[in-house]
Amino acid sequence: MSDLTDDIIELLISTAHGMQQRSYAPYSAFNVGAALLSKSGKIYGGCNIENAAYSPSNCAERTAIFKAVSEGEREFRAIAIVGGKKGETGDLCFPCGVCRQVMAEFCDPDTFKIIMRDSGGQTVIKSLRDLLPEAFRL
Ligand code: THU
């Protein structure tokens, strides 16, 4: 299903858990962490960052992608995502539709992998095409 090694998957998930602790989510109390692996081999972390005006809030996945792109990265292999209430890991945290669309801007739909793990240790890996078929592109 994935050309990622188990070691890389575990590193991405543990990085995402660390990022979840940096989440700033006083309004939803739902904390999300993400870890994005670039084709250059670097890992970019991200967390959700909320705002009192709500709409300026940013998801963990987009934080990671925007950090990476702003550092000159354009090609990515995978992203790990964990999330849950009050800093705990809960159910599998699937990316929202907006984040899927942002992934589609930079990531190959068939080779880019989205890795999620829940509190029970279940790991699910999906391709971007699985989660966003027929993506809009110009
Ligand atoms: N959130 C993420 O950061 N990533 C997701 O994939 C789903 C939702 C954030 C947005 C908001 O800060 C909080 O989780 C509740 O929706």
Side-chain angles (χ1 to χ4, degrees), residues 27-45:
Y27 305 103
S28 71
F30 191 87
N31 303 103
V32 185
L36 176 70
L37 177 65
S38 69
K39 285 193 180 168
S40 70
K42 288 191 192 160
I43 295 175
Y44 295 85

Side-chain angles (χ1 to χ4, degrees), residues 23-34 46-51 54 57-63 81-85 93-97 99-100 103:
S23 157
Y24 176 76
Y27 305 103
S28 71
F30 191 87
N31 303 103
V32 185
C47 61
N48 56 330
I49 304 167
E50 296 185 348
N51 186 278
Y54 287 26
S57 301
N58 206 47
C59 289
E61 299 91 320
R62 276 177 288 145
T63 300
I81 309 162
V82 296
K85 286 268 175 193
C93 184
F94 282 83
C96 79
C99 288
R100 295 178 198 200
M103 290 173 196

Side-chain angles (χ1 to χ4, degrees), residues 88-119:
E88 304 287 329
T89 303
D91 295 336
L92 295 171
C93 184
F94 282 83
C96 79
V98 172
C99 288
R100 295 178 198 200
Q101 182 65 33
V102 170
M103 290 173 196
E105 188 70 25
F106 297 104
C107 306
D108 182 280
D110 294 308
T111 60
F112 185 72
K113 295 298 188 307
I114 299 155
I115 304 161
M116 293 143 294
R117 181 172 289 169
D118 69 12
S119 55

